[in-house]
Amino acid sequence: MKIVVTGGAGFIGSNFIGYILGEHPDWEVTNLDKLTYAGNLENLKDVHDDPRYRFVRGDIADRDLVGRLLAEGCDVVINFAAESHVDRSIMDASPFIHTNVVGTQVLLEAARHHGIRKFVQVSTDEVYGSIAQGSFTEESPLCANSPYSASKASADLLCLAYWRTYGVPVSITRCSNNFGPYQFPEKLIPLVISNAIENRPIPVYGDGLNVRDWIYVQDHCCALEAVVERGTPGEVYNIGSGQEKTNLELIHTLLGLLGKPGDLIEFVADRPGHDRRYALDAGRIGRELGWAPGHPFEEAMAATVEWYLQNEAWWRRIKSGEYAEYYERMYLHR
Ligand code: NAD
Ligand code: TYD
C-alpha cells in the first residue's frame, strides 16, 4: 500500500511513520512536510535510508505540488500537517488558517480528483471545547474556543462536506493530548521535563487545575493504523485513554520521576480562553475497530521521561535555537 503522510516530520507524524514501517513491510510512505519550526528530520533518522520511505519538502496548501504527488498513485492520505500549538494560535491565527483550513481543503480536492481510497484527517478532542462533567461523544456539537481548535473544527467540517458532497472517503480521528518521544518542547510535558532537568522554573497557567486526558503517542499511532485499515468513510472516531489528570498532578508526577523539587513550579497568568477540561468517550473505536490503548499510563510516562533524559541533545538543540543551522547542515545540503 502506498500512503502519503503529511506533517510526518512533526511529533506524532514521525512516530507514526516509524511505527507503520515497522508493522507493515509492504507499505510505502511518502512524507510531505513543509518543515516549519516544528518539523525536524532528525525525528526520522531511523527510517531515513529505508527504501520504502521518501521525504518531500512542501506545503500542503501548494495545489500543484499536492496534485503532482497524488497523481503519482497513492492509496491513502493521512493528514497530520498542522500548526498545532494553542499559545501560538493566540498570538497569530493566520498560519493556522493557512495550513489547517486551506491546506486541508487543497488535500481534499486533490484526493477527490485522484480517487484516493482513504483519507484520514488527524483531528483533536479540542474541537468539542471544554466539558465540566461527563465526556464528549462523536455526536457532540463542535464548540472550539481557541483559534487552533477553531481551525481544526473548520477542517473537520470540510472533510465531512467532501464526503457528503463528493464521496471522498474521509474518516476523522479526534484524539486527546499525546505524550512521548520527539514532542516539541513548547508543549507541556517536554517543557516540564526539559526545564526540570535544567532546574529552570516550570510555568503553570492559572491555578493548574485544568484537566487533560493523556495518551501515549504509540497508542494513538495504533488507533490511526486501525482507522487506515478498517475505518468507515464519513465516520468520526474519538481516541482517548481515559487518563485524566490536572496539570498540577501531571507536573508533580514528572518532577517525582526526575527527583526534582516542587518549588520549581511557578504560577503564571492564565492562557486566554483556557479550556478547563477535555474528556472523550472513545467507545466507538473500541467497539467498531477493536482498538484499545495498550500502554499503562505510569509505564509510558516513565519511558517518556527516560527518553528525554537519554536524548538531551535533541531537545537542547531546539531550545538553544541552534536547530535550524544544524538541520541545514545535516539534511538539506547532503
Ligand atoms: P507538530 O506541530 O509536532 O507537527 C506538525 C508538522 O506539520 C510539522 O512537521 C510541520 O513542519 C508540519 N507542517 C506544518 N504546516 C505545514 C504545511 N503547511 N504543509 C506541510 N507540513 C506542514 O504537531 P503534532 O503534535 O505532531 O500534531 C500532528 C497532528 O495531530 C495535528 O494535526 C494536530 O492537530 C493533531 N493532534 C495533536 C495532538 C497532540 O497532543 N499533539 C492531539 C490530537 C491531535
Ligand atoms: P499543551 O501541551 O499546550 O496542550 P493543549 O493546550 O493543546 O491541551 O498544554 C497542556 C495543558 O498545560 C494546558 O492546560 C495548558 C497547560 N500549560 C501550562 O500550564 N504551562 C505551559 O507552559 C504550557 C505549555 C501549558
Side-chain angles (χ1 to χ4, degrees), residues 11 85 87 176-198 201-205 212-217 241 243-255 257-258 271 297-298 300-309 314-315 319:
F11 162 47
H85 193 44
D87 294 331
S176 62
N177 285 61
N178 284 223
F179 65 94
Y182 299 118
Q183 186 166 30
F184 198 87
E186 66 187 353
K187 303 281 168 55
L188 182 67
I189 287 182
L191 181 95
V192 171
I193 298 172
S194 58
N195 276 20
I197 292 172
E198 296 182 296
I202 289 159
V204 175
Y205 300 163
R212 300 290 184 263
D213 168 355
W214 292 96
I215 186 172
Y216 191 47
V217 66
S241 68
Q243 289 293 335
E244 288 186 37
K245 313 281 173 206
T246 66
N247 292 339
L248 277 178
E249 271 179 282
L250 180 72
I251 291 166
H252 281 296
T253 300
L254 292 169
L255 292 177
L257 285 165
L258 288 160
R271 172 189 278 172
F297 175 80
E298 286 74 17
M301 198 52 81
T304 299
V305 168
E306 189 55 31
W307 189 88
Y308 286 91
L309 283 167
W314 180 87
W315 55 261
K319 287 184 107 170

Side-chain angles (χ1 to χ4, degrees), residues 53-213:
Y53 169 75
R54 173 173 67 137
F55 174 66
V56 176
R57 186 176 191 176
D59 189 331
I60 58 165
D62 180 340
R63 250 166 247 279
D64 292 341
L65 173 64
V66 168
R68 277 201 308 279
L69 266 189
L70 297 203
E72 288 174 3
C74 145
D75 303 300
V76 176
V77 173
I78 173 156
N79 183 26
F80 293 91
E83 290 293 335
S84 68
H85 193 44
V86 173
D87 294 331
R88 287 181 189 257
S89 81
I90 293 168
M91 287 188 292
D92 179 8
S94 321
F96 289 74
I97 305 306
H98 171 82
T99 293
N100 303 2
V101 184
V102 177
T104 301
Q105 188 268 334
V106 168
L107 287 172
L108 287 165
E109 195 60 29
R112 173 186 166 210
H113 282 292
H114 294 287
I116 298 307
R117 281 201 352 237
K118 181 159 285 176
F119 188 112
V120 178
Q121 172 68 7
V122 183
S123 187
T124 163
D125 61 354
E126 302 193 25
V127 298
Y128 298 118
S130 191
I131 188 165
Q133 281 167 354
S135 52
F136 291 118
T137 70
E138 289 85 352
E139 278 66 47
S140 299
L142 303 187
C143 187
N145 292 314
S146 72
Y148 162 66
S149 54
S151 68
K152 294 295 289 186
S154 306
D156 284 15
L157 293 176
L158 282 168
C159 286
L160 292 172
Y162 267 72
W163 158 244
R164 293 191 190 113
T165 309
Y166 306 114
V168 176
V170 181
S171 299
I172 297 172
T173 61
R174 296 185 181 142
C175 190
S176 62
N177 285 61
N178 284 223
F179 65 94
Y182 299 118
Q183 186 166 30
F184 198 87
E186 66 187 353
K187 303 281 168 55
L188 182 67
I189 287 182
L191 181 95
V192 171
I193 298 172
S194 58
N195 276 20
I197 292 172
E198 296 182 296
N199 296 312
R200 285 163 62 178
I202 289 159
V204 175
Y205 300 163
D207 61 9
L209 298 180
N210 304 68
V211 173
R212 300 290 184 263
D213 168 355

